[in-house]
Amino acid sequence: MATLGIPQNTIAVLQKYNFNFQKKFGQNFLIDTRVLDKIVQASEITKDDYVLEIGPGIGTMTQYLCEHARQVAAVEIDKNLIPILADTLSEYQNVEVIQEDILKVDLNCLAQEKNHGNPIKVVANLPYYITTPIIMGLFESHVPIQSITVMVQREVADRIQACPGTKDYGALSLAVQYYAKPEIVANVPPNCFMPRPAVGSAVIRLVRYKERPVQVLDERKMFAIIRASFNQRRKTLVNGLNNAAQLPYSKDQITEALEEMGLPVNVRGEALTLEQFAKLSNLLQ
Ligand code: SAM
């Protein structure tokens, strides 16, 4: 394989096809073989695995995935990249390139048809402008997923992995940690990409829980409570929840629930663990 992770090889392909980067698609291609090795290693792909890659670009990581996985599906929105991918992936029989917006692909159907409904692994250098909808979409649509190993903005990786009481802790931390155990596996500086992004990046691995870490009577209600708690971060939880138009709870109901949980009535949402949000949501049910 002519490793595209080597900058000269990427430049040669871009020149051959006179390719223009599209900023609106978040196109920052990887040009560092150590980072590519690290991502593939962290994703623990084997020849048994069906892998979904989101945004293959010119196929730099796709080549690595084809070498390690049984089968790869690569979903790319930019039609100008399709002929390039046909070229750079021509020696691999185990890849299917799908030209589509990842947010419109029926991934349940893909997993069912191509992997008999068995869990798939997702690996990607994500387009940063849609990181959260992609990750939450993967979890919330209940696609059978074993793990997600993705490059994201460093700041987003920090938010995903954050613990209660820290500045980065918020609705995204809780939403992801409800479904998966997060681990930042590498920090990646801008010079590993072409063109260089304005922000630092990180590779984060999310290993999906077989069973949810907390028992909650109504998931949607719990997430509505979580969102309301962080919408007004500097308010106490009692005021934040009471002010939220979409929640019907009185101050007395919320105070009573907090007291039952042994929490002070002036507690803020950022202090509560996922377990405590689940309990609060169940008590308010
Ligand atoms: N995987 C390549 C690499 O590492 O060099 C490219 C990564 S680049 C950060 C993101 C890729 O996602 C681009 O190829 C971009 O065109 C593609 N992309 C952007 N939005 C997309 C969408 N909604 N659905 C599918 N692919 C998308």
Side-chain angles (χ1 to χ4, degrees):
M1 116 180 139
T3 311
L4 297 166
I6 295 167
Q8 298 88 299
N9 293 347
T10 286
I11 292 167
V13 169
L14 298 176
Q15 284 178 347
K16 178 173 170 192
Y17 288 92
N18 203 8
F19 179 77
N20 290 316
F21 288 100
Q22 299 242 41
K23 214 170 175 189
K24 67 171 179 188
F25 289 145
Q27 292 177 340
N28 300 96
F29 298 164
L30 266 169
I31 46 159
D32 189 307
T33 53
R34 284 164 310 175
V35 175
L36 288 153
D37 282 332
K38 183 90 195 176
I39 296 173
V40 173
Q41 188 196 341
S43 62
E44 294 178 352
I45 293 170
T46 70
K47 277 289 170 194
D48 288 333
D49 288 321
Y50 186 87
V51 174
L52 167 68
E53 185 188 11
I54 299 161
I58 60 169
T60 311
M61 194 152 73
T62 326
Q63 293 183 335
Y64 281 70
L65 298 175
C66 290
E67 295 279 342
H68 290 84
R70 173 173 56 81
Q71 183 71 31
V72 179
V75 178
E76 174 57 61
I77 197 169
D78 185 353
K79 64 177 181 350
N80 293 331
L81 287 166
I82 305 305
I84 305 183
L85 287 163
D87 181 359
T88 59
L89 302 176
S90 61
E91 68 181 78
Y92 298 104
Q93 310 307 313
N94 60 341
V95 60
E96 180 187 9
V97 174
I98 302 167
Q99 196 225 318
E100 186 53 280
D101 177 347
I102 187 65
L103 298 177
K104 293 187 182 149
V105 178
D106 184 343
L107 295 174
N108 271 303
C109 186
L110 187 80
Q112 192 58 46
E113 272 179 18
K114 308 284 168 132
N115 204 34
H116 311 292
N118 294 318
I120 62 174
K121 288 183 178 167
V122 178
V123 185
N125 171 16
L126 286 180
Y128 293 170
Y129 74 106
I130 43 170
T131 301
T132 307
I134 290 177
I135 294 179
M136 292 320 300
L138 287 169
F139 287 135
E140 284 168 358
S141 60
H142 301 282
V143 178
I145 282 173
Q146 197 172 335
S147 64
I148 302 177
T149 308
V150 281
M151 180 87 70
V152 297
Q153 245 175 277
R154 171 75 217 226
E155 172 240 335
V156 174
D158 287 340
R159 278 166 49 209
I160 289 177
Q161 210 193 19
C163 301
T166 62
K167 72 170 177 27
D168 292 323
Y169 187 61
L172 181 64
S173 330
L174 286 153
V176 174
Q177 291 171 26
Y178 179 63
Y179 293 102
K181 183 177 160 38
E183 187 192 351
I184 294 178
V185 292
N187 287 318
V188 183
N191 63 5
C192 296
F193 302 85
M194 184 186 296
R196 291 180 187 202
V199 292
S201 303
V203 180
I204 192 160
R205 181 176 54 199
L206 309 170
V207 179
R208 190 177 191 134
Y209 293 124
K210 290 210 170 63
E211 280 176 33
R212 301 266 187 276
V214 294
Q215 297 302 315
V216 58
L217 297 170
D218 184 340
E219 279 181 14
R220 282 179 40 205
K221 185 133 295 169
M222 179 178 76
F223 283 114
I225 290 173
I226 289 173
R227 276 195 302 277
S229 313
F230 289 98
N231 268 348
Q232 298 183 305
R233 233 188 143 93
R234 290 162 65 189
K235 289 214 158 56
T236 63
L237 192 63
V238 174
N239 284 332
L241 297 189
N242 181 245
N243 289 346
Q246 71 279 22
L247 296 174
Y249 312 122
S250 69
K251 282 193 176 184
D252 284 350
Q253 285 173 307
I254 304 163
T255 307
E256 203 178 304
L258 290 179
E259 279 171 351
E260 191 165 338
M261 291 170 65
L263 290 169
V265 290
N266 62 351
V267 73
R268 290 185 184 172
E270 64 197 22
L272 268 65
T273 61
L274 175 62
E275 215 172 348
Q276 287 171 320
F277 271 114
K279 187 154 187 211
L280 178 64
S281 156
N282 290 345
L283 282 172
L284 288 170
Q285 190 70 18

